[in-house]
Amino acid sequence: MTRTLVLLAHPDLGTSRVNTALAAGIRDLPDVTVHDLYATYPDLNIDVAREQHLLQEHDRVVLQFPFYWYSAPPLLKKWLDEVFEHGWAYGSKGTALHGKSMRVATTVGGHEALYRPGGLNRFPVTDLLRPFDATANLTGMDYEEPFIVHGASSLGDEELADHVRSYRELLLDRVLQPAA
């Protein structure tokens, strides 16, 4: 079974109905570790050795965060800057992450129509996430297709439950079949 580390990076998880539901929906899965960065590092001082050890214990890394200002929350960026060190994660001797995979799981307040050519934000979210793809490539990780929840600010209960179910299935390495 694939061991998955979910790096949950929401600056105020208590106010996020969708990220809270997604995280709660996977906490009981076998071989899935949900690691809340903001709860672990409220002072923003990252224990790099601890984080690198966590990465080494897992096969897949999922970066779960709210998408705003076309990027990730600041602690996740800091985490990447500090934990993915030259000589450890990349460079001629940086092979610690080779063969692992990375996926982004993100929630977007706006609807998908706003994220396309001609839309308000001009680009699909998948295009705006390309720096994560480049990071995975640089560190020798396989970049998996992002899990994106659009319209997070207006999801109904049924839609949210569907997204939680899809997220669970994705982390269980199953493809959820559409209802007939």
Side-chain angles (χ1 to χ4, degrees):
M1 183 131 213
T2 302
R3 294 165 302 165
T4 302
L5 175 63
V6 177
L7 293 166
L8 177 59
H10 195 297
D12 191 4
L13 189 60
T15 64
S16 175
R17 179 175 159 259
V18 178
N19 273 282
T20 297
L22 290 172
I26 61 168
R27 285 189 193 277
D28 67 331
L29 293 179
D31 296 312
V32 172
T33 303
V34 178
H35 181 42
D36 185 339
L37 292 178
Y38 278 91
T40 304
Y41 301 112
D43 59 0
L44 309 182
N45 292 316
I46 297 168
D47 181 342
V48 172
R50 177 180 188 244
E51 297 303 309
Q52 289 175 344
H53 180 74
L54 273 171
L55 286 165
Q56 288 175 316
E57 290 181 331
H58 293 84
D59 308 300
R60 174 172 51 190
V61 178
V62 176
L63 307 175
Q64 181 185 329
F65 58 88
F67 187 73
Y68 57 88
W69 289 113
Y70 311 108
S71 189
L75 183 56
L76 181 55
K77 174 64 169 99
K78 182 179 183 351
W79 185 93
L80 288 165
D81 290 345
E82 294 181 11
V83 175
F84 284 16
E85 290 179 308
H86 183 269
W88 185 82
Y90 69 99
S92 62
K93 296 181 182 176
T95 60
L97 300 174
H98 285 198
K100 296 180 185 291
S101 65
M102 177 192 289
R103 178 187 306 272
V104 168
T106 191
T107 56
V108 182
H111 292 279
E112 193 169 1
L114 297 172
Y115 289 90
R116 62 176 170 75
L120 177 66
N121 297 292
R122 298 182 52 213
F123 303 99
V125 172
T126 52
D127 287 358
L128 297 168
L129 292 172
R130 286 190 181 192
F132 294 100
D133 187 344
T135 298
N137 180 66
L138 181 66
T139 60
M141 300 173 82
D142 295 320
Y143 186 69
E144 298 179 341
E145 183 179 343
F147 178 80
I148 302 169
V149 177
H150 283 280
S153 58
S154 60
L155 283 180
D157 291 343
E158 244 180 79
E159 290 172 297
L160 179 54
D162 287 344
H163 286 296
V164 170
R165 193 167 26 262
S166 294
Y167 193 35
R168 283 180 63 85
E169 295 296 318
L170 186 72
L171 295 186
L172 287 168
D173 294 321
R174 293 188 220 147
V175 176
L176 188 62
Q177 300 299 319

